[in-house]
Amino acid sequence: MDSVPVLEEPLKKVLGGNTAKVMAEHLGLHTVGDLLHHYPRRYAERGELTRLSDLPLDEHVTVVAQVADARVLKFNGGRGQRLEVTITDGSGRLQLVFFGKGVHKPRTQLVPGTRGMFAGKVTVFNHKRQLAHPEFKTLGAGSGADAVEAFANQLLPLYPACKQMESWQIQQAVDTVLGPAGSEDAVLAELVDPLPGALREGRGLATLPEALRKIHRPRTKADIGAARDRLKWDEAFVLQVALARRRRAEAQLPAAPRRPVEDGLLTAFDARLPFTLTDGQRRVSEQIFADLATEHPMHRLLQGEVGSGKTLVALRAMLGVVDAGGQAAMLAPTEVLAQQHHRSITEMMGELAEGGMLGGAEQGTKVVLLTGSMGAAARRQALLDLVTGEAGIVIGTHALIEDKVQFHDLGLVVVDEQHRFGVEQRDALRSKGKQPPHLLVMTATPIPRTVAMTVFGDLETSVLDQLPAGRSPIASHVVPAKDKPHFLARAWERVREEVAGGHQAYVVCPRIGDEEDEAKAAKQKKSGEEGAEAAEAEKRPPLAVLDIAEQLAKGPLADLRVEVLHGRMQPEAKDEVMRRFAAGAVDVLVATTVIEVGVNVPNATAMVIMDADRFGVSQLHQLRGRVGRGSAPGLCLLVTEMPEASPARTRLGAVAATLDGFELSRIDLEQRREGDVLGQAQSGARSSLRVLAVIDDEEVIAAAREEATALVTADPELTGYPELRTALDALLDEEREEFLDKG
């Protein structure tokens, strides 16, 4: 973040080659500056002094006691060793244990008769209370109450660490860099402070050297609070300045205004709609048409609840652009979704989608599909229709981005499910216009306001939070298959009941189950996953589409028409299955998450999600949105084998408890702890956000946005803020610069 020599000094020079190598490879830390901006995740408190007779279980304690005895025990055929130390303070006895490499230091220092302070978490092993690998400090004859008090009440920083480098090793490295307590300023004084002085003083924020000293070496909890307040502002403000400059630059670009003509294609389309638009759809459409009428490109994010009618709003915008003589392109993340959009849009438009064809409407246009797997003849025709302008609307996958694809006059790009596209791909499509086309980004996962301000800070936001009339409620329930197997049996009965009532059902599995899939699963298992929950889940492979479909067809759903759908099927086969399902020729579709977005079959009323704990909150909400799309009530059953007390079950309980996507996106974010708000998928770069939590820090983000906008308006080139420019250059390393530039 800084251009000052001390901070740019490689860690190799300060800490030695081995430590620096591990920090670079596993933590992404290369310089002194990187290390100083690697903040503690939390702080352990050693706590007040406790008598050995009063030790509470599972709590961090500090005790002052004397070593009664110490012995080294061998295990694992003599290859491993364990040090057991017994301490006493007159009120009771306690065992300390040290293993492996951690044996050497205590073995030499904790000899019988030594008095010391010991801090750690109290656990029980073989019916005895113990501290495993406690921190300790021996006390000499002259050590008074002050030394004991200072040790007991110290706040211990716990850093984001890795298997190869533990938190205490990172703390040692920070101490090496900062030098002895009280001498930190020699290093910290050289920091470049990105916050303008007036802003810092006006908001009562600490200086940057003070904040870094307090975050790494706090004396009190107030120190930590002051440091975090300041460092949050650094992150929020620098990012918002980058976004404010981006918005300003976009506002300067030229674009062709696209105003719909009276009594044109849009009017004809609205007239054939069998329902009226919701107030929300009308309001958002007005915002979009106002943007399209300007001489600068629209950059708008359209987000809304699952099933709120975003596609209809986007289609009306596309028709308005065609009316104005331009073309519109919709970019979808998968072939299944591109085909689904093409099918639903041509159905909604009817003869209006057959411009120039026999039986097509007079003011109609051609709607073409372009995907990578199309036959050569169909592809040639689609490309011709685009370059001549015969096709006003094209729906496609990444195939749209290829160099061969030429447009007559591209006026609007609609990107569906924005988070699945790299920015380079969006940019490549936008560059196909004679002038920058207008851009509408749709996301089907509702995003909390602060995330929209942070991740999509260069886009104006429109929100559809109202469901169209006629949408049915969806009942959601968790099915604990392991604890209560009869619940799962009942789930299949419910599916049969829905089919008997003339409806259809989805069964979703996390895996396909073909050979390629098996090899991938084996490889993942070999590489191993961390965490108790992952370990629990890894005891058996995720349930697979091909296996479950076979079991259901032979067992609980025998005599029903069961078919499969997954991403590795041939495109024609996928399309055929979806057509048959939409036509009601399939009762139960066993699928992977290819049905997650855009799939619209109003007659499908039930969904059973197998291994539901293996999906994220937002993904479950997306999947659930495929049912309840007609007039009959929807049912979503979340099947899991995870135990009741696990975080996974809590997550599923939250999904079952609410249909509010905005609330669920909040829960999802809190559980994932959104350290990487810029998004690995978006920029491929390490996150710049370390203390800013976009869920909890709404006020900071909103205030930073306001301050940043005012500053950039007054001084777009930041000529009066060289330190801020330096910080921006560091934030906008090459990849992230591209991310923002291609917004």
Side-chain angles (χ1 to χ4, degrees):
M1 178 170 166
D2 312 279
S3 62
V4 181
V6 170
L7 296 169
E8 286 187 356
E9 204 156 290
L11 288 173
K12 190 175 176 180
K13 276 180 75 175
V14 189
L15 303 174
N18 289 343
T19 303
K21 188 176 180 217
V22 173
M23 285 192 159
E25 286 178 6
H26 298 282
L27 296 168
L29 307 176
H30 303 275
T31 64
V32 167
D34 290 343
L35 181 59
L36 290 180
H37 289 294
H38 187 73
Y39 310 130
R41 202 168 19 119
R42 59 190 179 87
Y43 299 82
E45 290 181 76
R46 287 188 175 135
E48 292 172 13
L49 291 175
T50 314
R51 283 158 50 92
L52 294 186
S53 55
D54 303 330
L55 291 181
L57 257 184
D58 287 332
E59 282 192 25
H60 283 276
V61 299
T62 302
V63 296
V64 174
Q66 191 163 331
V67 177
D69 69 66
R71 56 206 174 117
V72 174
L73 303 170
K74 303 275 187 194
F75 62 92
N76 202 4
R79 288 196 298 278
Q81 54 177 351
R82 175 171 82 243
L83 173 66
E84 290 185 357
V85 178
T86 305
I87 57 172
T88 176
D89 67 350
S91 73
R93 293 166 82 83
L94 177 68
Q95 188 164 288
L96 318 176
V97 288
F98 301 87
F99 297 95
K101 291 177 184 172
V103 166
H104 180 67
K105 181 183 164 190
R107 184 180 184 174
T108 55
Q109 295 189 6
L110 300 181
V111 295
T114 306
R115 188 165 165 269
M117 295 176 285
F118 306 89
K121 190 177 180 181
V122 183
T123 55
V124 169
F125 181 72
N126 277 347
H127 309 295
K128 284 186 188 169
R129 292 184 184 219
Q130 68 171 32
L131 301 182
H133 285 281
E135 291 184 72
F136 66 89
K137 186 172 185 179
T138 56
L139 295 170
S143 300
D146 289 350
V148 173
E149 191 64 25
F151 177 87
N153 292 320
Q154 197 180 339
L155 291 157
L156 303 167
L158 297 175
Y159 290 87
C162 60
K163 201 163 58 181
Q164 294 78 3
M165 178 152 293
E166 308 226 11
S167 172
W168 63 267
Q169 293 169 295
I170 298 169
Q171 187 187 350
Q172 279 182 342
V174 170
D175 285 344
T176 303
V177 163
L178 289 179
S183 68
E184 302 96 339
D185 286 343
V187 173
L188 299 179
E190 297 199 29
L191 289 164
V192 173
D193 196 330
L195 285 195
L199 188 157
R200 195 183 69 236
E201 286 156 25
R203 294 191 173 267
L205 298 169
T207 64
L208 189 53
E210 192 186 338
L212 285 177
R213 187 169 53 249
K214 286 178 173 176
I215 200 98
H216 290 295
R217 292 176 167 174
R219 292 199 180 99
T220 63
K221 286 185 180 174
D223 278 356
I224 299 168
R228 283 180 170 278
D229 286 348
R230 161 60 211 245
L231 295 169
K232 281 176 183 178
W233 259 92
D234 279 16
E235 292 175 2
F237 184 69
V238 174
L239 181 57
Q240 291 301 336
V241 166
L243 292 166
R245 294 183 78 201
R246 180 76 210 120
R247 286 195 301 275
R248 193 177 183 285
E250 293 283 9
Q252 317 290 315
L253 289 174
R258 309 282 178 171
R259 298 183 185 91
V261 295
E262 273 185 48
D263 298 326
L265 186 54
L266 179 60
T267 309
F269 175 74
D270 284 348
R272 57 170 286 131
L273 280 178
F275 50 80
T276 54
L277 298 178
T278 65
D279 292 344
Q281 286 171 326
R282 255 202 286 288
R283 184 189 70 248
V284 168
S285 290
E286 281 167 18
Q287 292 170 346
I288 290 170
F289 285 120
D291 282 357
L292 290 172
T294 66
E295 294 180 358
H296 301 289
M298 164 172 80
H299 287 92
R300 191 165 282 280
L301 172 69
L302 171 57
Q303 59 161 327
E305 199 42 275
V306 174
S308 57
K310 292 180 294 296
T311 309
L312 176 63
V313 169
L315 175 56
R316 293 186 74 247
M318 292 196 284
L319 295 173
V321 168
V322 174
D323 267 350
Q327 290 169 294
M330 180 185 264
L331 193 56
T334 64
E335 290 208 352
V336 168
L337 192 50
Q339 288 159 347
Q340 175 73 29
H341 275 317
H342 182 253
R343 190 159 47 245
S344 61
I345 282 172
T346 49
E347 279 169 9
M348 275 196 274
M349 288 176 65
E351 74 273 10
L352 296 174
E354 296 164 1
M357 292 188 249
L358 207 57
E362 191 185 333
Q363 69 272 67
T365 189
K366 219 175 197 183
V367 179
V368 300
L369 176 69
L370 189 65
T371 64
S373 62
M374 283 170 73
R379 186 180 174 74
R380 251 196 320 272
Q381 185 58 53
L383 291 173
L384 187 65
D385 289 341
L386 286 180
V387 76
T388 59
E390 186 83 11
I393 294 175
V394 59
I395 296 145
T397 54
H398 299 81
L400 278 177
I401 295 165
E402 291 171 14
D403 292 342
K404 288 182 202 134
V405 181
Q406 304 280 313
F407 288 86
H408 178 65
D409 180 14
L410 181 60
L412 170 66
V413 173
V414 178
V415 181
D416 189 16
E417 277 306 281
Q418 187 270 352
H419 61 275
R420 301 185 175 212
F421 282 103
V423 282
E424 292 80 6
Q425 295 155 338
R426 272 192 292 163
D427 193 50
L429 186 53
R430 281 169 60 186
S431 68
K432 291 181 180 290
K434 292 171 184 170
Q435 285 186 315
H438 299 278
L439 175 69
L440 181 65
V441 170
M442 296 197 297
T443 172
T445 308
I447 303 167
R449 175 172 166 259
T450 43
V451 183
M453 281 195 294
T454 309
V455 184
F456 302 102
D458 54 339
L459 300 174
E460 298 299 323
T461 304
S462 293
V463 177
L464 278 174
D465 49 11
Q466 188 184 6
L467 291 183
R471 287 299 297 259
S472 302
I474 305 169
S476 305
H477 304 283
V478 177
V479 178
K482 201 171 185 179
D483 306 347
K484 299 177 178 172
H486 59 287
F487 275 38
L488 183 57
R490 176 67 188 127
W492 301 127
E493 280 175 25
R494 284 293 289 111
V495 169
R496 294 189 74 90
E497 286 164 15
E498 290 298 311
V499 173
H503 298 297
Q504 293 158 278
Y506 297 98
V507 177
V508 180
C509 303
R511 205 161 59 93
I512 298 170
D514 57 12
E515 284 174 24
E516 196 176 326
D517 201 40
E518 301 297 339
K520 194 171 157 193
K523 190 177 172 188
Q524 276 175 347
K525 193 162 186 179
K526 196 174 173 186
S527 68
E529 284 186 65
E530 289 177 23
E533 205 172 290
E536 170 75 22
E538 271 308 305
K539 284 177 188 169
R540 58 174 182 74
L543 295 171
V545 166
L546 301 177
D547 302 341
I548 292 293
E550 192 180 344
Q551 289 167 24
L552 293 177
K554 288 178 179 172
L557 303 185
D559 73 9
L560 296 187
R561 297 168 298 176
V562 177
E563 293 204 17
V564 301
L565 180 71
H566 59 76
R568 279 205 283 274
M569 288 165 64
Q570 287 300 314
E572 301 78 28
K574 282 190 282 199
D575 206 32
E576 177 57 23
V577 170
M578 274 314 303
R579 276 182 197 284
R580 285 163 47 70
F581 188 63
V586 174
D587 297 322
V588 179
L589 187 62
V590 184
T592 56
T593 55
V594 291
I595 61 150
E596 182 184 343
V597 284
V599 174
N600 184 27
V601 180
N603 193 47
T605 53
M607 176 175 284
V608 181
I609 303 178
M610 307 302 291
D611 275 349
D613 49 89
R614 295 180 191 258
F615 299 100
V617 170
S618 295
Q619 199 172 26
L620 290 169
H621 184 54
Q622 273 299 320
L623 287 165
R624 171 171 62 185
R626 301 307 105 208
V627 297
R629 299 179 82 85
S631 52
L635 172 70
C636 180
L637 302 174
L638 306 168
V639 180
T640 179
E641 294 203 354
M642 297 303 281
E644 192 163 1
S646 65
R649 279 285 285 276
T650 309
R651 197 165 66 234
L652 295 180
V655 175
T658 180
L659 291 171
D660 182 341
F662 285 91
E663 175 58 26
L664 286 173
S665 70
R666 216 180 159 80
I667 292 166
D668 190 24
L669 209 51
E670 278 169 355
Q671 292 191 334
R672 283 188 292 117
R673 292 321 299 172
E674 67 307 310
D676 188 6
V677 187
L678 281 186
Q680 216 70 27
Q682 288 296 347
S683 66
R686 272 178 76 245
S687 169
S688 62
L689 300 192
R690 298 188 177 102
V691 284
L692 188 72
V694 296
I695 275 295
D696 307 326
D697 298 320
E698 184 163 334
E699 284 176 24
V700 174
I701 292 167
R705 185 181 168 101
E706 213 170 287
E707 294 267 15
T709 306
L711 186 140
V712 169
T713 304
D715 184 357
E717 296 307 312
L718 308 181
T719 43
Y721 304 96
E723 298 85 0
L724 180 55
R725 279 205 73 105
T726 304
L728 265 182
D729 291 342
L731 172 77
L732 304 179
D733 54 35
E734 219 169 298
E735 284 176 295
R736 221 183 263 109
E737 179 76 79
E738 282 180 17
F739 156 61
L740 290 167
D741 268 0
K742 294 174 183 178

